[in-house]
Amino acid sequence: MKKALLFVSILTISFGCTTDSKKSESTKQQEFAIIIHGGAGTILKKNMTPEKEAAYKAKLTEAIQVGHTILKNGGTSIDAVEETIHILENSPLFNAGKGAVFTHAGNNEMDASIMTGNDLNAGAVAGVKNVKNPISLARKVMTNSNHVLLSGEGASLFAKEQGMEIVDPSYFYTERRFQSLQKIKEQEKTELDHDEKSAFYDADIKDSKFGTVGCVALDKNGNITAGTSTGGMTNKRWNRIGDSPIIGAGTYANNATCGVSSTGWGEYFIRGMVAHDISAMMEYKGVSLKEAAQEVIQHKLTKLGGTGGIVALDSKGNMVFEFNTAGMYRASMNDQGELVLKIYKE
Ligand code: ASP
């Protein structure tokens, strides 16, 4: 017992001398909180019309309010995440569900995942072509199957068995995304080295092909859920699967640390295990969410050559946006209903 007390005091002393930001964060308690993104990329004000900007802001606000209301009424973070992501998946503005980007073959193949921080349970789907709301299918994989990740035909079969809403693949057609594919195919005709590929990805996202969506919520019971849904990257081939359905890369949640949803160039997020890395830094190094997110996105991911960002929150309701791109569609709302809504870097 004495030993335990001594250990606690040593911990208090050693962590008591960390940064001021950590001190202030630990006193900032939120009963519940919610944070979302609608994709990161070369989002510049000069490329945006006031109408477009207003449309994105309105949809992000609508989505976060849905989740916030669930949390405020004592609902679970998993319901908040699923319902919030539905709004974004059902909007053609974002690269998820209705607005999913096109593959090289001219299809829409969607990936999604969800994870609950109280039990480290998770569900994910990849390469789904006919399920209206892939985030709900990911939830069903988590709760109604013995598996974590289902793909392609099998995932669709499971969706049917679960009575999920199945749509004709043409539901996912949007002219804007189809034209983006044509433009990229034109550009692709030249062989590209790595740097050019980065520029190519930037061109991809500049042309509004970004827009993966994600949400992390903390409920009144202290449970964190994180979820991510995407159409992947325009012109992807060979049943490419990105980071969004990969637990630890695109999505991670642990009540002991934080919940994270990623967006960006998926291959780098997989290699960097970005979402889990942020949680692991908090767990093993005892740093704050802000410090962990900055280190992983601004240093580790950037050094790898990856671009993108994350939204995250910790068990106290501290919320963080972190990205190394020009912008990220993002919003957060605390238990007082205070909305932070941003697009560009500040
Ligand atoms: N991370 C997604 C993917 O690589 C794309 C994105 O977030 O824009 O599939």
Side-chain angles (χ1 to χ4, degrees):
M1 183 63 185
K2 261 190 198 158
K3 264 191 196 158
L5 271 178
L6 183 65
F7 181 60
V8 170
S9 4
I10 289 171
L11 269 185
T12 316
I13 293 163
S14 53
F15 288 120
C17 62
T18 51
T19 61
D20 283 351
S21 69
K22 193 181 173 202
K23 259 191 256 166
S24 62
E25 277 180 5
S26 61
T27 54
K28 229 194 290 158
Q29 300 274 348
Q30 296 293 329
E31 209 192 344
F32 62 93
I34 183 164
I35 187 162
I36 62 174
H37 69 76
T42 314
I43 311 167
L44 297 168
K45 203 166 175 69
K46 66 176 170 84
N47 298 330
M48 194 71 101
T49 62
E51 293 75 29
K52 227 164 119 183
E53 195 177 302
Y56 277 103
K57 285 187 167 170
K59 200 43 87 174
L60 288 167
T61 306
E62 180 191 338
I64 204 162
Q65 270 167 350
V66 164
H68 190 268
T69 303
I70 291 171
L71 297 169
K72 194 174 165 186
N73 293 338
T76 62
S77 55
I78 185 163
D79 282 342
V81 166
E82 184 183 9
E83 294 304 323
T84 299
I85 290 183
H86 272 184
I87 304 289
L88 302 170
E89 282 180 337
N90 294 346
S91 161
L93 290 175
F94 302 94
N95 173 18
K98 176 65 188 161
V101 298
F102 282 84
T103 66
H104 186 76
N107 302 318
N108 308 97
E109 294 178 357
M110 285 148 287
D111 304 334
S113 64
I114 197 158
M115 181 164 187
T116 43
N118 56 318
D119 51 6
L120 304 187
N121 205 357
V125 292
V128 166
K129 294 180 184 165
N130 61 355
V131 175
K132 188 178 176 211
N133 292 109
I135 193 68
S136 296
L137 184 56
R139 180 176 179 172
K140 289 272 193 228
V141 172
M142 176 171 82
T143 55
N144 296 5
S145 86
N146 293 326
H147 307 296
V148 168
L149 175 57
L150 300 184
S151 68
E153 291 302 313
S156 285
L157 200 62
F158 176 71
K160 277 181 206 148
E161 281 179 20
Q162 293 295 315
M164 306 226 31
E165 188 169 355
I166 305 292
V167 291
D168 188 87
S170 61
Y171 165 80
F172 298 104
Y173 182 92
T174 54
E175 185 62 20
R176 178 172 74 121
R177 301 296 191 192
F178 188 71
Q179 289 311 326
S180 299
L181 173 67
Q182 309 316 315
K183 224 183 283 174
I184 285 207
K185 278 185 161 178
E186 275 302 307
Q187 290 165 2
E188 203 194 27
K189 285 178 183 156
T190 46
E191 211 31 60
L192 304 171
D193 68 15
H194 175 272
D195 283 351
E196 285 171 325
K197 268 189 189 153
S198 297
F200 166 67
Y201 179 69
D202 280 350
D204 172 9
I205 47 194
K206 188 155 51 200
D207 284 348
S208 302
K209 294 165 201 89
F210 46 77
T212 290
V213 306
C215 175
V216 189
L218 167 72
D219 63 31
K220 288 182 179 175
N221 289 322
N223 290 324
I224 298 174
T225 300
T228 309
S229 182
T230 190
M233 284 171 70
T234 307
N235 201 30
K236 63 184 182 181
R237 297 184 199 208
W238 309 301
N239 300 120
R240 177 264 190 191
I241 295 169
D243 60 314
S244 307
I246 307 297
I247 298 302
T251 300
Y252 196 73
N254 182 345
N255 281 2
T257 53
C258 63
V260 181
S261 171
S262 311
T263 176
W265 194 344
E267 278 69 10
Y268 290 91
F269 280 73
I270 294 173
R271 289 166 56 198
M273 274 285 115
V274 165
H276 180 261
D277 205 21
I278 293 170
S279 168
M281 282 193 72
M282 292 177 72
E283 188 173 359
Y284 302 139
K285 290 181 89 178
V287 299
S288 69
L289 174 62
K290 183 74 195 159
E291 288 167 293
Q294 267 176 352
E295 175 62 27
V296 171
I297 299 299
Q298 306 302 346
H299 299 121
K300 296 175 86 170
L301 178 73
T302 304
K303 211 168 144 197
L304 267 184
T307 46
I310 57 99
V311 295
L313 57 72
D314 68 15
S315 52
K316 296 187 185 74
N318 295 303
M319 294 185 274
V320 163
F321 305 112
E322 197 68 50
F323 53 99
N324 67 1
T325 48
M328 180 165 78
Y329 294 109
R330 59 200 190 276
S332 68
M333 208 179 248
N334 63 14
D335 59 3
Q336 299 304 303
E338 286 162 352
L339 174 71
V340 175
L341 178 60
K342 291 180 180 175
I343 298 178
Y344 315 104
K345 198 166 230 159
E346 283 170 12

